[in-house]
Amino acid sequence: MEAQQASPDSSSEECTVLEALPGKGTGLTCSQHNGKVPALYCVPCENAVCEDCLNAEHAEHPTDSLENIVNQQLAVLQDRVDAAKNRLPQIRESVQCLRDILQQLNTQRSSIEEDIHSSFSDLHKTLDTRKSVLLMELEVTYGLKQKVLQGQLDTLLQEEAAINYNSSLTKGALDGGNKAVVLQTNKDVGERLSELASQGLPLQPEENDQLDLVMEIEGLRKSIHNLGTVVTTNAVASQTDASGEGLEQCVVGHPMSVIITTRDKAGGLCKTGNAVISAEVFTPDGSVADGEIVDLKNGTYEFQYTVKKEGNFSLALRLYDQHIKGSPFQLKVTSSPDDSPCTTTAANAASTGSSDGGARKRSAKSPGSRSRQKGVRRGGSLFSTPKKRVNPIEDDLIFRIGTKGRNKGEFTNLQGVAASSDGKILIADSNNQCVQMFSNTGEFQSRFGVRGRSPGQLQRPTGVAVHPNGDIIIADYDNKWVSIFSSEGKYKAKLGSGRLMGPKGVTVDQNGHIIVVDNKACMVFIFQPSGKLVTKFGSRGIGDRQFAGPHFAAVNNNNEIIITDFHNHSVKVFNADGEFLLKFGSNGEGNGQFNAPTGVAVDVNGNIIVADWGNSRIQVFDGSGSFLSYINTAADPLYGPQGLALTSDGHVVVADSGNHCFKVYRYLQ
């Protein structure tokens, strides 16, 4: 191997040339002095030297033992390697976080693309309907006018013909006929001519020719030009911060306020709203304070909350599921303002912002959570039907109720469906901001709901369920909470405020716990009716324990939770603790495949009934996910079915959202 030349010292003398020899030992020899092995290290020159070097060019230089220097540099090198490798978990965590965000971004893009197609399809339908109405109105108006004018014209033409005819009969007498002809003619037609001469005629037009069309095209064009907005922000959690009295002075029973200021990656202020922010105030035992997030539409958000007891609390503020700067904050709540003020510290003060991994750690310690075991695909359920049904012609439509509108028995974008044990069908009428109730035979009974963003009001009800105690549970998508009403529609309470981002479906398990499917957060929450969180599970992604826009839920006789995973085109089953059990389905149009599943229900035999939104059909599976049959909807095809339930008399009721009605089908169990 050739000698490696070191860089010359800028002062004057050339540093010693060393050769690296193969084999063990130091591996260094001094090429300046017949290959002597160096034992010392010249500190100024930063090079190994032999004894002869000390008598020559390195005579005045301080030295140290080569072994000491090598050991020191080995330790330094090892420290540098360790420091570099210590970054790897952070990098891997960030890589996973970015992959999750990219996956969610792709999911959101697909969802919005679907919404755009659906919205413009509805607009086309609305325009076509309006076109038909206008053409019909034109025909009716034209017909009325034409009938009047044509009738008047026919009358005048008849009079004209009568005058001409009778006048022609007098021609012989008037042309100089004899006296007998004159007398006879006057006798025959004279009186008739007098009648014709004096008869009142409709000589003036009794109608006009006006048929105009007034179309406010320009206003409509402008509206269409500005129709729809793709909303986003550049806010990132690592730069977003919080301030306000709610982080400084916390008093029992007093409303507290925290201002969250969103910032971009460079720390610049974001000036628009619509960021996805969640907040929760909790104690180690799981109690949660009531709170609400208000979007101030200028890049800042106010979290208002009230704590009802003294103690140490944690305040978690998340932007897009990631902790903002300083979150979670530690709060000490006192009984009066005169007590020592609340101290606020960041549990993760060493970092500038926690990644999604921080959120996952918090989730793992949520009250009621338990250790998870590996999910396995199981065999048929104890309650599964052993024999497959492949002929769907036995099932058929019993009746349909509803048209598009805002009155009783009319719907605009109906979503969730529930059925009570006392023979009621409940429909979440999303865009009409109400819940309508019918009997099992389709008779309208009542409805309740007032549009608004205050407790007791509804902004976009998408899911509905009936608790064993008779209470009606409603998932309010835009208000980001779940409301509880009595069986008569009287407001009682709300839960999940500050935790939920977009609750879509809701159901109740055999313990009376309320299961909420959070479509935006891609999570499932389980609450006690009091609002205390029991557990939560799920995240965005394509894995077995992940979701992409989950919609609705059902519970079987084993108290297992069945979730429809919309954009992953599958149905997933978990136990009551959130442990994954199995999944079935893939994207497609074949038996057992889905194009975005929505509503789900379970019959007494454990068979799973699924509304297949994109394929506009209803499929039936056994408890292990094997395809059994379809429900026959050919007589009155579905268009984008949503919620689905089994009535107390054993029929299937489905929200036919695209046709603005619900349908009840005979179901042979």
Side-chain angles (χ1 to χ4, degrees):
M1 182 179 294
E2 294 182 0
Q4 295 181 344
Q5 180 69 40
S7 299
D9 192 345
S10 59
S11 57
S12 58
E13 300 177 352
E14 182 176 300
C15 292
T16 304
V17 177
L18 300 173
E19 286 186 338
L21 298 178
K24 298 181 180 179
T26 64
L28 295 174
T29 59
C30 181
S31 61
Q32 295 290 329
H33 300 97
N34 298 322
K36 285 190 175 182
V37 176
L40 298 173
Y41 184 84
C42 179
V43 176
C45 298
E46 296 183 348
N47 212 342
V49 295
C50 66
E51 291 181 359
D52 291 347
C53 293
L54 296 179
N55 297 324
E57 63 266 30
H58 296 281
E60 303 297 327
H61 296 177
T63 60
D64 197 353
S65 166
L66 178 60
E67 184 175 358
N68 289 341
I69 295 299
V70 168
N71 289 336
Q72 291 174 13
Q73 293 193 5
L74 279 174
V76 170
L77 184 61
Q78 185 63 52
D79 288 343
R80 289 173 177 173
V81 170
D82 291 343
K85 286 187 175 181
N86 284 340
R87 297 297 304 277
L88 290 178
Q90 295 175 329
I91 292 172
R92 289 169 186 148
E93 186 175 355
S94 296
V95 166
Q96 184 59 48
C97 177
L98 289 173
R99 284 175 175 163
D100 290 344
I101 292 173
L102 283 170
Q103 172 66 31
Q104 179 60 14
L105 181 65
N106 183 60
T107 299
Q108 289 294 96
R109 183 195 66 82
S110 299
S111 177
I112 290 173
E113 184 179 30
E114 170 192 304
D115 288 343
I116 290 172
H117 284 302
S118 175
S119 297
F120 278 86
S121 176
D122 287 344
L123 281 176
H124 280 302
K125 287 185 178 180
T126 302
L127 286 172
D128 287 340
T129 300
R130 184 58 185 160
K131 174 183 174 182
S132 298
V133 169
L134 283 175
L135 289 173
M136 184 180 298
E137 185 179 329
L138 173 63
E139 286 303 309
V140 170
T141 305
Y142 164 78
L144 292 173
K145 284 179 170 286
Q146 188 267 349
K147 183 177 180 180
V148 171
L149 292 170
Q150 189 63 50
Q152 184 181 2
L153 178 61
D154 291 344
T155 298
L156 292 176
L157 290 174
Q158 289 173 5
E159 290 300 315
E160 181 185 20
I163 290 172
N164 289 334
Y165 173 73
N166 285 282
S167 296
S168 67
L169 295 178
T170 65
K171 183 172 177 57
L174 295 175
D175 289 345
N178 57 39
K179 296 176 180 178
V181 172
V182 172
L183 291 173
Q184 187 61 43
T185 300
N186 187 57
K187 181 179 180 181
D188 292 340
V189 299
E191 187 176 346
R192 176 59 179 154
L193 287 170
S194 296
E195 291 175 358
L196 291 172
S198 61
Q199 183 174 343
L201 297 175
L203 299 176
Q204 298 302 318
E206 296 177 349
E207 250 300 355
N208 58 60
D209 61 355
Q210 183 183 13
L211 276 177
D212 292 326
L213 176 64
V214 177
M215 293 278 284
E216 297 178 0
I217 297 295
E218 282 307 310
L220 181 61
R221 281 202 183 105
K222 288 180 181 177
S223 297
I224 292 175
H225 182 74
N226 297 313
L227 180 63
T229 303
V230 177
V231 176
T232 188
T233 74
N234 293 321
V236 295
S238 61
Q239 296 293 337
T240 295
D241 52 43
S243 61
E245 60 179 5
L247 298 179
E248 300 168 358
Q249 183 83 12
C250 304
V251 181
V252 172
H254 286 224
M256 311 306 296
S257 175
V258 176
I259 299 297
I260 302 152
T261 303
T262 56
R263 302 178 185 274
D264 61 24
K265 64 180 181 181
L269 293 174
C270 296
K271 298 181 180 179
T272 59
N274 299 300
V276 180
I277 292 179
S278 62
E280 58 181 349
V281 180
F282 54 90
T283 61
D285 66 1
S287 358
V288 180
D290 192 25
E292 181 179 5
I293 296 175
V294 179
D295 186 348
L296 302 179
K297 301 299 182 182
N298 60 0
T300 63
Y301 304 77
E302 184 178 12
F303 175 53
Q304 303 167 342
Y305 70 96
T306 304
V307 181
K308 297 180 180 178
K309 63 180 181 180
E310 295 183 72
N312 295 318
F313 285 74
S314 294
L315 169 60
L317 297 174
R318 294 185 179 93
L319 174 69
Y320 302 113
D321 286 343
Q322 299 181 31
H323 286 284
I324 69 169
K325 274 186 179 180
S327 175
F329 302 92
Q330 304 305 313
L331 310 177
K332 183 178 181 182
V333 182
T334 59
S335 58
S336 72
D338 297 331
D339 294 338
S340 58
C342 153
T343 57
T344 306
T345 60
N348 57 344
S351 66
T352 59
S354 175
S355 70
D356 193 48
R360 287 197 295 271
K361 289 179 182 178
R362 168 71 188 98
S363 176
K365 296 180 181 179
S366 296
S369 63
R370 302 178 185 176
S371 61
R372 303 288 188 250
Q373 64 184 33
K374 184 177 180 182
V376 294
R377 186 174 181 87
R378 55 178 187 174
S381 166
L382 176 64
F383 299 98
S384 296
T385 302
K387 183 178 180 181
K388 293 185 179 181
R389 296 186 296 129
V390 296
N391 184 0
I393 63 171
E394 301 151 330
D395 304 314
D396 54 21
L397 177 68
I398 300 175
F399 62 83
R400 62 177 283 171
I401 299 292
T403 57
K404 186 173 184 179
R406 299 193 177 276
N407 298 317
K408 297 175 181 178
E410 297 177 343
F411 307 98
T412 307
N413 191 24
L414 65 169
Q415 295 275 313
V417 176
S420 67
S421 58
D422 60 351
K424 291 186 178 69
I425 295 172
L426 295 87
I427 306 293
D429 193 359
S430 180
N431 287 10
N432 286 334
Q433 288 83 32
C434 70
V435 169
Q436 301 198 46
M437 290 192 286
F438 301 80
S439 70
N440 276 353
T441 55
E443 288 85 14
F444 175 84
Q445 293 188 339
S446 65
R447 74 174 183 177
F448 63 92
V450 177
R451 180 176 183 171
R453 294 191 177 274
S454 299
Q457 297 178 322
L458 301 175
Q459 190 61 26
R460 188 180 168 193
T462 53
V464 61
V466 180
H467 197 275
N469 65 12
D471 286 345
I472 299 170
I473 318 296
I474 300 173
D476 195 332
Y477 194 90
D478 283 353
N479 276 332
K480 302 178 183 178
W481 62 55
V482 171
S483 295
I484 303 176
F485 292 80
S486 70
S487 58
E488 294 78 28
K490 304 283 180 151
Y491 174 74
K492 296 178 70 173
K494 67 182 174 75
L495 56 85
S497 178
R499 291 180 182 269
L500 302 173
M501 297 169 60
K504 172 79 174 182
V506 64
T507 191
V508 180
D509 71 9
Q510 295 179 1
N511 299 319
H513 294 155
I514 297 170
I515 299 169
V516 184
V517 181
D518 195 328
N519 175 265
K520 276 192 176 179
C522 293
M523 296 180 69
V524 175
F525 292 78
I526 303 178
F527 297 94
Q528 294 180 359
S530 64
K532 181 177 179 179
L533 180 67
V534 176
T535 189
K536 60 184 178 179
F537 59 93
S539 61
R540 291 186 182 92
I542 60 175
D544 290 341
R545 304 184 187 193
Q546 295 180 309
F547 305 102
H551 267 49
F552 292 96
V555 176
N556 64 16
N557 290 332
N558 297 331
N559 209 31
E560 294 165 347
I561 303 167
I562 302 162
I563 307 292
T564 52
D565 196 354
F566 191 83
H567 291 295
N568 283 333
H569 309 290
S570 61
V571 174
K572 297 178 178 177
V573 183
F574 302 82
N575 70 11
D577 295 324
E579 296 169 353
F580 174 78
L581 298 177
L582 67 93
K583 72 174 180 179
F584 58 92
S586 60
N587 190 15
E589 299 177 357
N591 293 350
Q593 293 186 307
F594 301 108
N595 185 2
T598 48
V600 62
V602 182
D603 69 18
V604 294
N605 296 317
N607 296 321
I608 301 170
I609 309 162
V610 183
D612 189 356
W613 181 84
N615 291 324
S616 289
R617 63 185 178 182
I618 301 173
Q619 300 191 70
V620 184
F621 302 81
D622 69 14
S624 63
S626 296
F627 173 78
L628 295 179
S629 69
Y630 302 103
I631 288 180
N632 185 13
T633 61
D636 190 0
L638 299 169
Y639 181 41
Q642 286 278 351
L644 182 147
L646 274 171
T647 63
S648 58
D649 54 357
H651 299 315
V652 169
V653 54
V654 61
D656 193 355
S657 185
N659 289 320
H660 307 289
C661 67
F662 71 88
K663 295 174 179 175
V664 175
Y665 292 92
R666 185 172 292 105
Y667 176 68
L668 304 179
Q669 300 187 35

